[in-house]
C-alpha cells in the first residue's frame, strides 16, 4: 500500500491510542500459563498481537474473542499446553518469538518457531543462550542465532542467575517466563532498566517478583491465577501524534488514557528538554500501570543530546524523535543506539535514508543518529523498509513537508496501529490517502 500525505495546515482533535502492544502480548502469555479465567479489555488487535493469539491457540490454549479488543482465556495451567501440529509463525513480531521461547522452555515437547524475512534477521541468541543454560534444547539457523528455531523444553528447568548483555524487556520477559516454570530462584540483572510491564503484570497474576539490589528475582514453579486486565493506550503509538501536534502549526491534539509507565516515557523527557510542553492530566492507575490524558500543541523546538540509560526508555521512539529533530534548532545527536540496528529494520539507516529524501540532514552510524535542524522538508517518494514505525514516522514528516509525501510499503503500519491512517485522515480532514479513495474529500 502506498500512503500519500499532504502538508497539513493544522491538527485539531482527539486521537485514541490503541491498546499497548507490549502489555497485550504479556496479558495473553500470562493468561495462557495461569489457572482460571483471564479477561483482557482494550487488547491491541494488530498483526503482532494476533500472531501471539494464533500461536497460543496452536498450543492448545482456549482463547475466546468477543470483539476485536476483548479476549477471554480459559487458563488451565502450564501442564495443559500441547505440542503444536504446525510451525508457530510469529510473523514480524520479535516479542511473540522471544517470549514464546521463554514459555516453551518449560514445556516438554518440540515446537518450531518462524517469522517473516525481517524476523529471521533479528538476533535470537540473546534468548537462546540463557534458555539453554536453563536446560532447554534449542536448535536454529547459525547455531540458534536466527529463526527458524526448534525448541524442546523440559519440566526440569534449572533456575538461572544471569546478567543480561543488553537492556531488553523481551529477553528479560522470556527469562521470567522460563523462571516461573523452573525449580528454584531465577535472578536477572540488566545493564539499564528496560520496560517493566512483565514485572507489574505478573504481580497482578499473583506471582512474587522481587527486586533486590538491582537483581530481579522470581521463584519457580509459580502458580499464576487468571485475572482481569485493562490494557492502557500505547504510548509508542501516541508518540507519533504528540510529535505531529508539536510540529504542525496551530495544532492541538488530545490523547486520552495513554499509558505513562516511566520505563516507556523517555520521549516526554527529551521533548521537554527540547522546549516542548506536553500536559499530562488525570494521572491515575489502570491495574498495575499508570495512565494519563495527554495534550500537545505546536511548539518550537531546540536540539538536544540523547544517550545512555535513556535509550531503553525511548527505544521505539527514535524514528519519530528523529523527525522532531529535523525541525529543531541546532544539531541533535542520539548516541548509544546500536540496538536500533536490529529492530524490524535497521532504523538508524532507514531514517537517515528516508528523511534524507525529504531534504533533511541526517547521518547514521552503527550506533548513532546525527540530525541537523531546522530543515525545510519537501515532499518526495520514500519507503517504509517494511517497518511500521519508520512508515508512521515518515507520515508525520509528510505533514510538515511541502507538497505531497508518498510512503511505499505502508501496509506494515497494521503491525502495531491498525487505524493509524483513519485517525490521521480524521485529524487532517482528508489530507491522507491510501490509494483506495476512502479518504478523498
Ligand atoms: C518490547 C521490547 C523492546 C521494544 C519492542 C517491544 C517488549 O524490544 O523495542 O517493540 O514488548 O518487550 P527489546 O526487548 O528488543 O529492546
Amino acid at each position: 500500500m502506498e500512503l500519500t500525505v499532504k502538508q497539513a495546515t493544522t491538527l485539531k482533535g482527539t486521537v485514541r491510542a490503541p491498546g499497548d502492544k507490549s502489555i497485550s502480548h504479556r496479558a495473553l502469555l500470562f493468561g495462557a500459563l495461569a489457572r482460571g479465567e483471564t479477561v483482557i479489555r482494550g487488547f491491541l488487535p494488530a498483526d503482532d498481537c494476533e500472531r501471539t493469539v494464533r500461536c497460543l491457540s496452536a498450543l492448545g490454549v482456549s482463547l475466546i474473542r468477543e470483539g476485536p479488543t476483548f479476549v477471554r482465556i480459559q487458563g488451565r495451567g502450564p501442564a495443559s499446553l500441547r505440542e503444536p501440529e504446525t510451525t508457530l509463525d510469529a510473523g514480524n513480531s520479535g516479542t511473540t518469538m522471544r517470549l514464546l521461547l521463554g514459555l516453551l522452555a518449560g514445556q516438554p515437547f518440540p515446537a518450531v518457531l518462524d517469522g517473516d524475512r525481517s524476523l529471521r534477521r533479528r538476533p535470537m541468541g540473546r534468548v537462546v543462550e540463557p534458555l539453554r543454560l536453563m536446560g532447554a534444547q534449542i536448535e536454529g539457523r547459525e547455531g540458534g542465532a536466527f529463526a527458524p528455531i526448534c525448541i524442546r523444553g523440559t519440566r526440569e528447568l534449572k533456575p538461572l542467575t544471569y546478567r543480561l548483555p543488553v537492556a531488553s524487556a523481551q529477553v528479560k520477559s522470556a527469562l521470567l517466563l522460563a523462571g516461573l516454570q523452573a525449580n528454584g530462584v531465577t535472578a536477572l540483572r540488566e545493564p539499564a532498566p528496560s520496560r517493566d510491564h512483565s514485572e507489574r503484570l505478573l504481580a497482578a497474576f499473583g506471582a512474587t517478583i522481587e527486586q533486590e539490589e538491582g537483581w530481579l528475582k522470581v521463584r519457580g514453579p509459580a502458580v499464576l491465577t487468571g485475572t482481569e486486565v485493562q490494557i492502557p493506550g500505547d504510548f509508542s503509538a501516541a508518540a507519533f501524534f504528540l510529535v505531529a501536534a508539536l510540529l504542525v502549526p496551530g495544532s492541538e491534539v488530545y490523547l486520552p488514557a495513554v499509558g505513562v509507565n516511566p520505563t516507556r516515557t523517555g520521549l516526554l523527557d527529551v521533548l521537554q528538554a527540547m522546549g516542548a510542553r506536553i500536559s499530562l492530566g488525570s494521572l491515575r492507575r489502570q491495574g498495575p500501570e499508570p495512565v494519563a490524558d495527554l495534550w500537545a500543541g505546536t511548539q518550537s523546538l531546540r536540539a538536544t543530546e540523547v544517550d545512555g540509560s535513556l535509550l531503553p526508555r525511548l527505544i521505539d521512539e527514535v524514528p519519530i524523535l528523529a523527525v522532531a529533530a529535523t525541525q529543531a534548532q541546532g544539531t541533535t545527536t542520539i548516541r548509544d543506539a546500536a540496538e536500533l540496528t536490529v529492530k524490524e529494520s535497521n532504523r538508524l539507516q532507514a531514517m537517515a535514508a528516508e528523511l534524507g529524501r525529504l531534504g533533511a540532514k541526517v547521518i547514521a552510524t552503527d550506533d548513532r543518529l546525527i540530525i541537523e535542524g531546522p530543515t525545510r522538508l519537501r515532499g518526495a517518494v520514500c519507503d517504509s523498509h517494511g517497518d511500521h514505525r519508520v512508515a508512521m514516522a515518515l507520515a508525520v514528516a509528510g505533514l510538515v513537508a511541502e507538497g505531497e509525501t508518498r510512503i511505499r510499503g505502508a501496509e506494515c503500519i497494521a503491525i502495531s496501529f491498525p487505524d493509524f491512517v483513519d485517525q490521521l485522515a480524521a485529524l487532517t480532514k482528508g489530507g491522507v490517502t491510501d490509494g483506495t479513495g476512502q479518504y478523498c474529500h
Side-chain angles (χ1 to χ4, degrees), residues 163-188:
R163 286 177 189 269
L164 277 65
V166 282
S168 161
Q170 291 179 356
V171 176
K172 174 176 63 179
S173 303
L175 298 181
L176 284 174
L177 277 161
L180 288 166
Q181 302 173 82
N183 300 301
V185 176
T186 290
L188 308 170

Side-chain angles (χ1 to χ4, degrees), residues 21-22 26 95 98 168-170 195 315-316 343 389:
K21 182 158 82 67
S22 291
R26 285 158 172 76
T95 312
R98 294 192 177 117
S168 161
Q170 291 179 356
R195 64 190 65 188
I315 192 79
D316 291 338
K343 292 292 178 190
R389 297 200 201 280

